[in-house]
Amino acid sequence: MMDRRRFLLAAPVFLAACTDRSRPELAAPPPVDPYYARIYQEIDDGRFTVAAVDLTQIDPRFLRREVDYDTTEQPGTIVVDPGAHYLYLVRPGGRAIRYGVGVGRAGFRWNGRATVARKASWPVWTPPAAMVKRDPKARPWAKGMPGGPDNPLGARALYLFQGSRDTLYRIHGTNDPGSIGLSLSSGCIRLLNQDIIHLYSQVPVGTKVVVKKYDGPVPTGPVEDEAVPDAVAAAEG
């Protein structure tokens, strides 16, 4: 009887000794700023619904905000800084709206001045022939993937030309929010869908665009994947 009593009294000590006290407690996710929760909430534009952004998965540096911006470019100009993963819409008074972007290989390789010659809402994506041949998932869309939430061009696209020449440089949305702020092997300049919708509403056809030169390493990947944002041959969605 005494042995049983001693065991029961000592049991909590034995159990405590078996507990892993070295495992750190999981930190609670940072609180979400109500302002950003509002501007990145779900959007229904009458054609499709854009899902709300999980803000815990985005570096706060790449969320849309108005900032001081020293530039000689005129208000209304778009300035793309691929190395910093930012796109600026110049505003009056030394200010700009800054958007975080993901930059693909094609987005790093071209720089200069261009004009937004075409805008598309829910653009069609047409995979290049090499991708259709290589990737079974692309084959059903050989003649064009209709615009929609699963389309790699996202909710909106801006097409950059120099005079009548298509630069094949695109500013577009993305269905992969986690790619914002990253350097990628495919695509051009991608924004969160809520951000490309906002930018699209602010800039008319004819808007001047300046893409800064990037001198760093360019991401690698299959050559045919560079054409992911290039839907120039496809009809607008």
Side-chain angles (χ1 to χ4, degrees), residues 140-165:
W141 313 118
K143 294 184 179 180
M145 181 181 188
D150 296 328
N151 189 298
L153 290 179
R156 306 286 189 272
L158 307 178
Y159 299 80
L160 274 58
F161 282 62
Q162 289 181 315
S164 60
R165 183 179 69 84

Side-chain angles (χ1 to χ4, degrees), residues 80-91:
V80 181
D81 187 344
H85 294 89
Y86 287 131
L87 180 151
Y88 298 88
L89 176 58
V90 179
R91 310 297 286 176

Side-chain angles (χ1 to χ4, degrees), residues 58-214:
I58 308 292
D59 187 324
R61 292 179 300 157
F62 299 114
L63 299 178
R64 185 199 324 163
R65 66 189 66 199
E66 187 168 322
V67 297
D68 290 327
Y69 190 60
D70 185 14
T71 182
T72 58
E73 303 298 339
Q74 294 297 309
T77 303
I78 292 173
V79 179
V80 181
D81 187 344
H85 294 89
Y86 287 131
L87 180 151
Y88 298 88
L89 176 58
V90 179
R91 310 297 286 176
R95 303 283 287 174
I97 300 174
R98 189 183 73 190
Y99 306 84
V101 301
V103 185
R105 182 164 55 181
F108 283 115
R109 285 184 167 171
W110 186 88
N111 67 88
R113 292 179 174 269
T115 300
V116 175
R118 186 162 70 96
K119 299 167 57 177
S121 175
W122 296 106
V124 170
W125 170 61
T126 302
M131 181 182 290
V132 171
K133 183 178 180 179
R134 175 182 58 85
D135 187 352
K137 293 181 180 179
R139 288 172 194 160
W141 313 118
K143 294 184 179 180
M145 181 181 188
D150 296 328
N151 189 298
L153 290 179
R156 306 286 189 272
L158 307 178
Y159 299 80
L160 274 58
F161 282 62
Q162 289 181 315
S164 60
R165 183 179 69 84
D166 184 3
T167 67
L168 300 182
Y169 202 95
R170 310 287 183 251
I171 298 171
H172 60 93
T174 181
N175 55 24
D176 180 14
S179 67
I180 300 303
L182 302 182
S183 300
L184 311 149
S185 65
S186 63
C188 279
I189 301 296
R190 63 185 69 179
L191 288 74
L192 292 167
N193 274 327
Q194 283 83 347
D195 283 346
I196 191 63
I197 290 172
H198 182 268
L199 178 64
Y200 184 97
S201 71
Q202 302 292 309
V203 297
V205 168
T207 293
K208 304 301 180 184
V209 181
V210 178
V211 180
K212 293 187 173 182
K213 187 176 181 180
Y214 173 75

